């Protein structure tokens, strides 16, 4: 009974382990009933099942990127309005627009091109500066309260999503390495198949060996058909 377990993809390895555990617990083969290796294999598979399909990252990247785009839009719209209005020296309150545009200049006019973290830090400072009583009055006189509120809300929404993404990614990293769990399952499964192979000539084990061997063949055929993985270190048994 030979198979390179390292060649099996994650799903096929799980399927093989499931079938072997189910067969050994079916009651058809007393020789393997309550055997310690079955218990060990079941424990190893349970741990593997928890992590083999887990995402490497949180999956929130798209939502974070969307939230960043929305805050960029709110930021550039408000900045663009002030830049245009301040140049119309013939209209009332153009100087107020000049003053507020100066606040934007203080913290940079290209915040939307910065990294997530850098932009967040600068945006928070910009918002704080615009929230002073003096600047709030200027914003109201220019009828920009809604635009400013939108920029703040988009910034808050981004910060919330970004924090959720960071927390989710941290939780994933704390999970036991999927590769380490896989190696443990391969090791236990190898020991189990070795036992069945060694005992195949012993009365009571013949049919069990044949049944198990058919399951191994099915897994091997699946691996040969897919050929979707390159084995790291072959572990023939």
């Amino acid at each position: 009974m030979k198979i390179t377990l390292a060649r099996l993809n994650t799903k096929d390895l799980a399927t093989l382990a499931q079938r072997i555990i189910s067969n050994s617990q079916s009651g058809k083969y007393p020789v393997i009933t309550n055997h310690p290796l079955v218990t060990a294999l079941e424990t190893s598979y349970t741990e593997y099942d928890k992590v083999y399909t887990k995402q490497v990252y949180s999956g929130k990247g798209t939502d974070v990127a969307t939230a960043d785009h929305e805050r960029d839009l709110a930021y550039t719209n408000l900045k663009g309005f002030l830049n245009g209005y301040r140049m119309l020296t013939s209209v009332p309150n153009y100087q107020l627009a000049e003053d507020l545009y100066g606040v934007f200049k203080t913290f940079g006019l290209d915040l939307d091109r910065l990294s997530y973290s850098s932009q967040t830090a600068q945006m928070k400072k910009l918002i704080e500066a615009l929230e002073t009583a003096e600047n709030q009055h200027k914003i109201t006189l220019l009828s920009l309260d809604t635009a400013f509120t939108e920029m703040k809300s988009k910034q808050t929404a981004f910060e919330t999503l970004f924090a959720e993404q960071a927390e989710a990614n941290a939780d994933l990293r704390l999970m036991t390495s999927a590769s380490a769990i896989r190696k443990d399952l391969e090791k236990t499964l190898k020991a189990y198949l070795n036992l069945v192979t060694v005992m195949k000539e012993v009365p009571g084990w013949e049919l069990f060996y044949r049944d198990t061997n058919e399951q191994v063949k099915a897994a091997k055929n699946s691996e040969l058909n897919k050929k979707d993985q390159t084995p790291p270190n072959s572990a023939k048994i």
Side-chain angles (χ1 to χ4, degrees):
M1 193 162 19
K2 292 184 177 181
I3 185 171
T4 305
L5 296 175
R7 286 185 180 274
L8 297 181
N9 66 26
T10 54
K11 183 178 179 180
D12 288 342
L13 180 64
T15 299
L16 176 60
Q18 279 180 314
R19 289 175 177 173
I20 285 178
I21 292 170
S22 178
N23 193 42
S24 65
Q25 295 177 338
S26 65
K28 295 189 297 182
Y29 306 105
V31 292
I32 202 65
T33 300
N34 297 322
H35 195 287
L37 261 180
V38 176
T39 301
L41 182 59
E42 188 175 11
T43 299
S44 184
Y45 170 73
T46 298
E47 290 302 309
Y48 179 73
D49 186 54
K50 291 178 183 178
V51 300
Y52 89 92
T53 57
K54 82 179 180 69
Q55 294 175 301
V56 176
Y57 297 105
S58 66
K60 294 180 179 290
T62 299
D63 292 338
V64 171
T66 298
D68 178 58
H69 174 71
E70 291 178 353
R71 73 167 173 174
D72 287 348
L73 193 60
Y75 163 79
T76 54
N77 283 345
L78 182 53
K79 180 185 67 175
F81 175 85
L82 292 173
N83 187 36
Y85 198 93
R86 72 191 180 95
M87 296 180 181
L88 300 174
T89 57
S90 60
V91 301
N93 298 325
Y94 82 89
Q95 186 57 50
L96 300 182
E98 181 70 62
D99 295 343
L100 293 175
Y101 189 73
V103 178
F104 273 75
K105 280 185 177 180
T106 300
F107 299 101
L109 295 175
D110 60 348
L111 300 190
D112 53 314
R113 298 182 181 180
L114 301 179
S115 66
Y116 285 165
S117 297
S118 296
Q119 181 176 352
T120 297
Q122 290 300 94
M123 286 284 286
K124 290 175 71 172
K125 292 178 182 178
L126 171 62
I127 290 171
E128 287 175 4
L130 292 173
E131 282 183 325
T132 63
E134 180 182 357
N135 286 329
Q136 281 292 288
H137 182 60
K138 294 176 182 178
I139 287 172
T140 298
L141 290 176
L142 289 170
S143 301
L144 292 174
D145 294 280
T146 300
F148 178 60
T149 298
E150 181 181 11
M151 188 177 78
K152 286 199 301 180
S153 66
K154 296 301 182 183
Q155 168 66 17
T156 300
F158 173 82
E159 287 189 77
T160 300
L161 274 173
F162 189 71
E164 290 176 357
Q165 181 190 44
E167 183 178 356
N169 285 339
D171 289 342
L172 287 173
R173 292 189 190 99
L174 287 175
M175 293 180 71
T176 305
S177 167
S179 61
I181 288 292
R182 179 184 173 111
K183 288 180 181 178
D184 182 64
L185 177 58
E186 288 180 8
K187 180 180 178 181
T188 307
L189 190 53
K190 177 182 177 181
Y192 179 91
L193 296 178
N194 276 339
L195 170 69
V196 177
T197 300
V198 169
M199 299 295 288
K200 67 180 180 179
E201 304 295 339
V202 178
W205 287 80
E206 306 98 321
L207 291 179
F208 181 56
Y209 169 80
R210 292 175 189 172
D211 201 356
T212 303
N213 193 39
E214 288 303 312
Q215 294 171 338
V216 170
K217 285 180 180 179
K220 183 188 290 187
N221 288 336
S222 177
E223 169 252 313
L224 291 174
N225 290 334
K226 294 177 182 177
K227 293 183 179 180
D228 60 355
Q229 287 192 355
T230 300
N233 292 311
S234 296
K236 292 188 177 181
I237 56 177

